């Protein structure tokens, strides 16, 4: 176990699986006490056991991240359990690969509520506690689809992630003078359950578009989140960092 985050108290939304799960475990391995969140209570309990086995504390909050009440519960749980909030990771989100013609008004609303409005809610609930201490780090999970059009991402997904990038910059500008850093992570193709279902032909097409010639791992993203939560990134503010093996550079 490293100690880059030793003594920190962190909230990680959408942490019952995938990238969020990897981030929660990476935070724990680096010494942080964690509040994990998701909609699947059994998955959260399993993750909690893994985290506490690493010698740190862990609390669980299950609920719809698109509801303001869930954001309030996350903040209150962290402060009640650990007395503070050092880091918020807004990871929870959903994806879609529908064409513009296929996207319904209901899907548009659900995508923006889950991917973008939820981050606004959690920041609203967490930032006051950070302001009291004059320090904190917020890490928003974005995507390369928020920076450029992508054939494998629905318009509502790209718009929600572009909104995350804008939210990141605006909050960073407002909060940096008060000691709170806000940054985002923009993953590209990451090895997930869904990517494992690709055909060999499509997988090769994706590989050939990535200069590193491999898909990313959830730990690749988690390591960047740890960096942004630690003092190693003390002078990094308002950035949306690409983690995509060079597939998209800007």
């Amino acid at each position: 176990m490293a100690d880059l985050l030793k003594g920190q108290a962190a909230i990680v939304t959408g942490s019952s699986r995938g990238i969020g799960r990897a981030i929660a475990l990476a935070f724990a391995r680096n010494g942080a006490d964690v509040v994990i969140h998701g909609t699947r209570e059994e998955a959260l309990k399993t993750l909690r056991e893994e985290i506490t086995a690493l010698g740190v504390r862990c609390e669980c909050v299950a609920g719809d991240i698109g509801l303001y009440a869930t954001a309030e519960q996350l903040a209150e749980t962290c402060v009640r359990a650990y007395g503070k909030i050092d880091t918020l990771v807004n990871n929870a989100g959903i994806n879609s690969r529908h064409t513009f013609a296929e996207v319904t008004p209901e899907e548009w609303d659900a995508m923006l509520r889950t991917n973008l409005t939820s981050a606004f809610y959690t920041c609203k609930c967490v930032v006051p506690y950070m302001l009291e201490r004059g320090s904190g780090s917020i890490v928003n999970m974005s995507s390369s689809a928020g920076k450029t059009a992508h054939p494998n991402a629905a318009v509502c997904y790209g718009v929600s992630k572009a909104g995350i990038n804008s939210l990141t910059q605006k909050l960073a500008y407002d909060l940096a003078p008060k000691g709170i850093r806000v940054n985002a992570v923009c993953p590209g193709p990451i090895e997930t359950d869904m990517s494992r279902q690709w055909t060999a032909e499509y997988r090769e097409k994706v590989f050939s578009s990535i200069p590193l010639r491999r898909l990313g791992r959830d730990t690749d993203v988690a390591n960047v989140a740890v960096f942004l939560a630690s003092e190693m990134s003390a002078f990094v503010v308002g950035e949306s960092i690409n983690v995509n093996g060079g597939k998209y550079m800007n």
Side-chain angles (χ1 to χ4, degrees), residues 28-220:
R29 292 190 184 102
N30 279 277
D33 296 317
V34 188
V35 175
I36 56 176
H37 158 268
T39 57
R40 301 183 303 160
E41 292 191 27
E42 285 304 313
L44 290 174
K45 290 177 182 177
T46 299
L47 177 57
R48 182 181 185 180
E49 291 175 1
E50 291 186 51
I51 288 175
T52 55
L54 295 170
V56 298
R57 295 173 291 176
C58 181
E59 297 288 332
C60 301
V61 172
D64 182 353
I65 196 62
L67 300 177
Y68 192 77
T70 303
E72 288 182 311
Q73 187 180 0
L74 283 164
E76 291 168 1
T77 298
C78 193
V79 172
R80 182 175 64 250
Y82 312 135
K84 61 178 181 173
I85 305 172
D86 294 297
T87 298
L88 165 66
V89 181
N90 282 312
N91 170 77
I94 55 177
N95 195 2
S96 171
R97 291 170 172 79
H98 290 156
T99 65
F100 175 74
E102 294 170 334
V103 173
T104 64
E106 293 76 17
E107 182 178 14
W108 175 276
D109 290 345
M111 183 73 66
L112 266 67
R113 179 174 63 88
T114 303
N115 291 7
L116 179 57
T117 302
S118 67
F120 169 73
Y121 286 166
T122 52
C123 288
K124 284 288 287 185
C125 293
V126 164
V127 165
Y129 293 106
M130 292 182 171
L131 288 173
E132 287 180 4
R133 295 169 47 89
S135 66
S137 175
I138 297 172
V139 181
N140 295 320
M141 195 57 56
S142 182
S143 168
S144 57
K147 294 184 174 183
T148 185
H150 195 290
N152 205 30
V155 61
C156 50
Y157 180 77
V159 167
S160 71
K161 294 304 184 179
I164 284 289
N165 292 341
S166 180
L167 177 68
T168 296
Q169 289 187 338
K170 177 56 179 171
L171 285 179
Y173 188 83
D174 286 351
L175 297 176
K178 299 167 185 175
I180 302 169
R181 297 183 299 106
V182 187
N183 293 285
V185 183
C186 296
I190 304 296
E191 190 76 66
T192 62
D193 292 340
M194 185 169 292
S195 68
R196 295 184 188 102
Q197 299 172 14
W198 291 346
T199 65
E201 181 182 4
Y202 185 73
R203 180 175 288 269
E204 180 56 36
K205 181 179 179 181
V206 174
F207 277 16
S208 65
S209 70
I210 303 173
L212 277 182
R213 294 297 188 269
R214 72 167 177 86
L215 292 181
R217 307 180 185 94
D218 53 13
T219 52
D220 292 323

